[in-house]
Structures are given as C-alpha cells and as structure tokens.
C-alpha cells in the first residue's frame, strides 16, 4: 500500500522506505528481481552471440 | 562528353543550381561520360533531391582540384591503367544563396563593387562533392550538410568540417564525408569504413586512411579467395583487421533482434561513433518470392526518435533507444544520409530454394527490379572503438535494470514517481559529461562541485533516468573497468526528495534485514560518496 506523504516529508519517506525494505515482502520482491536479472543476463548473452559464419561472408553489393 | 586528361577550363565557374547544371557539371568532370549516363545512375537523382531539400541556389565548380583520397587511389591503381585518367578532380561547391559567375568573379578580384562577401558565402555554404575523373563511379569525397534539425532527428556522429575556396574558409557545421565505391580499390564495406574513420579519427586522433589503404589493411593478413585489388568486397573479419590497422579495436555486434539493433546503435552513436551496419538486401513483394541482392555495408550516422517508447522484451525496463524508428546512413550506392525506416513487425520472406525467414527489416532507397521494394535485413554491426573501452552494453544494462527494478519497488510504498522511468543509456567521455553537466544540469551545491571536480575515467557509460524529458537520476559506469569490477563511477539524483531517500537508504545499506541487489548497493554507495 502506498503511503500518503507529502513530497516535502523527504526524511519521513526515507524512513518508511528503509523500514519497508526490511520486510519479508521486500525481501521476496528483491529475490524475484534478482532471478529476473539473471534471466535477463542470459537472454542478453544469447541475443548478442555472433555466429562465426557471419564474420566470413563478404559484403559485396 | 569530355576527357579530364587536361583541364581546358578557367579555374572556376558559378552557375545557378538546377538538376541539369548538376548533371552537366558531373558529366563534364567524369571520364568520357554523358549526361544521360550520369542520370542513369541513382546518385545524381539522389543528390539532386537532397540538395533541393537543403535549398541549393548556386553551384561553384572548382576545376583542377587535388583530392588526397583520390590521389592515393590514383597512385596505387589508376596511374598504371592504359587510359589516360587524370589525377586531378573537380569539386562542386553548393550554396543556398543565388549569385552569378560575374558577381563571384568581382569578389575574387576584390573589386570595390563586389556584392558577394566571405561571410555571405560561408553562411550560405551547404558543402561540396568531389567528382573523380573516372568513367562510372565518379562521386568522390562528399561533405554535405545534414538535414535541418527536426524534433527527434539527430546526427550524433556528424561533426563540423571546413573547405577552403579562394582563400575563404567555408564551414559545414554538421556532416561526415561520403563517397561511392569505385568497385576497384573499394567496395561498399571499404566506403563505409572510410566514413566511419573520419569520425573516429577526430575522436581518437588516428590518421584517416584512403580507400586503397583501407582495402590493403583489411586484406593483407586475410587474403580473400580472389584478388584483393580490384576489390569485390570485404568480410566482417577483414573489416575488423582494417579497424586494427588504425589502432582501434573492432567490436562486432549481433543486431538480428530489432531492440538490440536500436540499443547498440543508440549507445555508440551518441558517443559520436558511427557504425558499419551489414545487411542482407532482398528484393520482392509480399505476393512474390524475394530475391537476394547480396550483402551490403553502410555507415550509420544518425537516427530519428519518432516511435513510442516500449519496454525491453520480457522486462519492465524502458529505454529511450526503443523510440528509434529511422536511421540515416551513408549508403555508397545511394548517397549521403540516406533514410532507412525500421518496420514494427518482422518481415516473413522466402528466397529461392531456402526456408521461410522471419526477421526485422528496414526500408531502403534502392530501386526494385520487380515493382516491389528492396528491404534490408540487419546481419551485424561493427563499431571501431578505443582499446580502453572495455565494458559493453549488456553489462551496463543489467545494472540499469536492477536500479530500475529497485526504483519501481520503492515507488510501490512511497510517492516518489519512479515507476515510469525512461533510461537514456549511452557511451560518453568525462569531458562531454562534465560539459553537459555544467551547461544543463539542475545539480547545485556540493553535489555539482563533486561532479565537476571528481576524477573520473576517460570513458563512461552514462545511464540517465528520465521522467518525461526531465532527468531524475544519473548512473555513471567506468567503461574502462573489467566486467567483474565495481564499475560504478558516480550516481547523482536531481530530484531533492529522491536524493534524500536514496541517500538515507545508501547510508544504511548493510543494516540488518535490508534487501537490495548488489548493483543497487553499488549505485547507492556512489551516491553517498558524491557529497
């Protein structure tokens, strides 16, 4: 649930965020984020792996 | 028709710009070429359309012009041909202002009645085309101004060039040299590399080789099955060798996925580094079979951000590069700054005797021989980078994705408006970063002082989180580090509330029970250290 704070309450918002980051909900969300990042890294690697054949075919047109 | 073996002309001539005047001037400068022959080639039509768009009013024809690049090619090849090809070229200068030959002559003679001035010539200057005294492939070094500025259309790899004419320094504010392949010392890949080297030469201070020198450097360690000169094309491996020849490192990139093409082009082009893009050209229509025209290489210099931003596939990370809908290339078979439009959907096509392919594609300005269209399917991109740029985009994006995730997470419980950020991820240098910061950043006080005085690596990956067009957060990664290193150089939050919250979290990252990823911890630590 989003806390209703004025933007000027920066210090209070920071305390709320800090407190929330210590909750089980935050831990689970962070763990899921880490898993997604690992999957993202794997996908990045796959998407950018160059087929060696591509390097040997000439550009002739 | 003329032979350029000797120059029978006066030193120069000024004529009103028309397509006929342009074609006549090119045909006159070429070797045994007719106006019909010039018109039959697509360059003249393309150049005419381009120059009309720029508003050309006058052509000044500079005869007997010595062009360094052509002279190198001439000394290496053409001088030993039996026909008497000239070693001198003709240079055509284009001006938006209209003036006559008589008026220009009065200026050159410093006649008191002259109405043309050096300032007027410079402000009206649109650039030049060197015409080579060869039979067919006549468009030599060409520096024409980029299209006028328009929302979303940028040419980050273009830069200012000057030309000297009658003692006047003429400046083209934004351009990059183009020339067509001569199919002898240079094929498409050589021409694309030649354009790229004009940008990297300025950026990294290396000599700019001529087309002949590029082809030689590309092939002397990797001889092709057929002879290197006359050259029929280079492989990516050969292009990589030519890049090493100027002291830079080749970075081949797979760009078969639309979003990766945009990410890579955006990231490197924004650092003023044009890239060679290798494509498969296919000709046809959806109702017919497609025909392969072969592989072609172009130099990418600019892009247009006209599409709506979309998240990276399988993530919620939104990158500014996803807005890219067109790129601008030096296509040696078409002309300078040719537009290629990216399709939103993959093209399904079948080549004779092949399986059905599905791939992203782009429009081209090539004419179709079957009444359809010639489309370009990206194969790979090749960047020429300084050896100290070691960290690549995926490493940076993983960290940006982690920070974006964290921003979303804390916005679920606090009114920080960090849940719809758009990230602008680009390579930059410490000099450019500090200049931009000094000129445009809202950062004030100790954090500004820290940012401007902090010792930073020469090359940085900069990830700016934007809310609309307003920067909220800047992450700076050391591009010279190793993949497993810390990598984070600095982190600045421009919104005071966001800064206070991230600072508080950053000051207590190791407090019991606080969960956040390693990448976020690094970013927050950098933010804490920046005051």
């Amino acid at each position: 649930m989003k806390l209703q704070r004025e933007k000027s309450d920066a210090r209070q918002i920071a305390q709320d965020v800090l407190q929330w980051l210590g909750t089980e909900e935050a831990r689970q969300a962070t763990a899921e984020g880490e898993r997604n990042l690992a999957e993202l890294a794997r996908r990045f690697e796959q998407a950018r792996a160059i087929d060696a054949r591509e390097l040997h075919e000439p550009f002739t047109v | 028709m003329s032979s350029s073996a000797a120059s029978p002309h006066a030193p120069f001539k000024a004529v009103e710009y028309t397509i006929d005047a342009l074609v006549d001037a090119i045909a006159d400068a070429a070797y045994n070429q007719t106006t019909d022959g010039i018109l039959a080639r697509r360059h003249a039509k393309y150049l005419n359309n381009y120059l009309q768009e720029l508003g050309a009013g006058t052509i000044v024809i500079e005869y007997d012009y010595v062009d360094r690049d052509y002279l190198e090619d001439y000394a290496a090849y053409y001088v030993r041909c039996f026909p008497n090809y000239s070693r001198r070229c003709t240079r055509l200068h284009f001006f938006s202002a209209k003036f006559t030959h008589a008026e220009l002559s009065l200026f050159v003679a410093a006649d008191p009645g002259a109405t043309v001035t050096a300032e007027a010539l410079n402000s009206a200057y649109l650039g030049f085309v060197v015409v080579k005294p060869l039979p067919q492939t006549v468009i030599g070094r060409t520096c024409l101004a980029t299209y006028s500025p328009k929302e979303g259309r940028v040419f980050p790899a273009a830069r200012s060039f000057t030309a000297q004419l009658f003692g006047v320094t003429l400046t083209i504010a934004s351009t990059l040299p183009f020339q067509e392949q001569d199919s002898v010392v240079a094929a498409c890949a050589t021409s694309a590399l030649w354009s790229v080297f004009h940008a990297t030469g300025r950026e990294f201070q290396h000599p700019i080789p001529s087309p002949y020198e590029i082809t030689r450097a590309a092939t002397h360690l990797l001889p092709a099955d057929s002879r290197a000169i006359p050259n029929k094309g280079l492989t990516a491996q050969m292009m990589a060798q030519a890049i090493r020849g100027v002291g830079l490192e080749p970075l081949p990139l797979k760009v078969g996925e639309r979003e990766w093409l945009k990410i890579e082009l955006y990231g490197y082009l924004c650092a003023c580094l044009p890239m060679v893009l290798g494509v498969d050209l296919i000709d046809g229509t959806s109702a017919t079979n497609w025909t392969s025209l072969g592989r072609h290489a172009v130099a990418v210099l600019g892009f247009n951000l006209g599409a709506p931003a979309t998240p990276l596939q399988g993530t919620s990370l939104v990158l500014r590069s996803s807005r890219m809908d067109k790129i601008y290339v030096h296509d040696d078979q078409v002309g300078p700054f040719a537009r290629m439009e990216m399709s939103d959907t993959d093209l399904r096509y079948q080549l004779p005797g092949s399986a059905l392919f599905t791939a992203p594609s782009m429009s081209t300005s090539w004419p179709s021989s079957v009444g359809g269209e010639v489309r370009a399917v990206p194969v790979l991109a090749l960047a020429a980078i300084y050896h100290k740029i070691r960290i690549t985009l995926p490493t940076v994006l993983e960290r940006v994705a982690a920070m974006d995730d964290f921003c979303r997470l804390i916005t679920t419980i606090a009114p920080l408006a960090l849940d719809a950020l758009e990230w602008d991820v680009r390579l930059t240098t410490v000099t450019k970063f500090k200049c931009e910061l000094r000129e445009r950043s809202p950062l004030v006080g100790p954090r500004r002082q820290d940012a401007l005085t902090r010792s930073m690596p020469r090359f940085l990956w900069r990830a700016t989180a934007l809310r609309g067009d307003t920067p909220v957060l800047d992450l700076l990664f050391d591009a010279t580090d190793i993949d497993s290193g810390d990598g984070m150089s600095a982190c600045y939050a421009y919104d005071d509330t966001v800064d206070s919250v991230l600072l508080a979290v950053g000051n207590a990252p190791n407090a019991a029970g606080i969960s956040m990823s390693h990448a976020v911890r690094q970013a927050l630590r950098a933010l804490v250290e920046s005051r």
Side-chain angles (χ1 to χ4, degrees), chain B residues 431-448:
Chain B
T431 309
K432 283 177 197 157
F433 168 70
K434 289 188 177 179
C435 284
E436 285 174 21
L437 192 87
R438 198 179 62 76
E439 287 166 10
R440 291 199 286 274
S441 170
L443 215 56
V444 289
R447 285 183 292 151
R448 185 182 183 90

Side-chain angles (χ1 to χ4, degrees), chain B residues 391 395-397 399-400 403 423 425 457 459-463 475-481 486-490 519 522-523:
Chain B
I391 300 292
T395 307
V396 175
L397 283 186
R399 294 172 187 188
V400 172
M403 194 63 192
W423 291 86
V425 184
F459 298 104
L460 297 160
W461 281 104
R462 182 180 184 184
L475 306 179
L476 294 168
F477 302 92
D478 177 359
T480 70
D481 202 355
D486 180 339
M488 178 63 68
S489 276
Q522 285 178 324

Side-chain angles (χ1 to χ4, degrees), chain A residues 2-3 7 14 18 21-22 27 29 33-34 37 40-41 43-44 47-50 54-56 58-61, chain B residues 188 232-235 237 253-254 260 264 293 295-296 313 315 366 379 394 405 411 413 495 497 513-515 517:
Chain A
K2 190 172 285 193
L3 301 171
K7 281 201 83 177
L18 267 176
L21 285 171
R27 265 192 294 276
E34 293 271 322
L37 281 177
L40 189 65
R43 220 164 53 74
F44 282 178
R48 298 175 82 253
I50 291 184
E54 302 287 6
L55 299 174
H56 300 288
F59 296 89
T60 54
V61 181
Chain B
C188 59
K232 296 298 172 206
L234 302 178
T235 65
Q237 206 179 24
L253 302 161
K254 185 178 175 185
W260 272 107
E264 302 282 16
L293 300 182
R295 289 199 156 187
H296 184 48
Q313 197 187 353
T315 74
W366 286 59
V379 177
D405 227 29
T411 305
I413 57 112
D495 177 298
T497 308
I514 290 186
S515 53
S517 71

Side-chain angles (χ1 to χ4, degrees), chain B residues 402-456:
Chain B
M403 194 63 192
D404 185 66
D405 227 29
F406 179 74
C407 289
R408 270 171 212 283
L409 211 56
I410 59 175
T411 305
T412 59
I413 57 112
L416 293 169
L418 297 175
D419 52 345
L421 298 174
E422 188 176 320
W423 291 86
D424 180 335
V425 184
R426 58 176 68 193
L427 185 68
T428 189
T429 62
V430 59
T431 309
K432 283 177 197 157
F433 168 70
K434 289 188 177 179
C435 284
E436 285 174 21
L437 192 87
R438 198 179 62 76
E439 287 166 10
R440 291 199 286 274
S441 170
L443 215 56
V444 289
R447 285 183 292 151
R448 185 182 183 90
Q449 192 172 2
D450 173 84
L452 291 176
T453 58
R454 175 184 285 244
S455 174
M456 291 185 190

Side-chain angles (χ1 to χ4, degrees), chain B residues 7 19 27 35 64 155 168 186 191 284 301 305 322 329 341 420 470 487 530:
Chain B
S7 175
I19 184 166
T35 51
D64 221 19
F155 298 92
V168 179
S191 295
L301 318 155
L305 300 178
S322 66
V329 304
E341 198 159 347
T470 308
S530 68

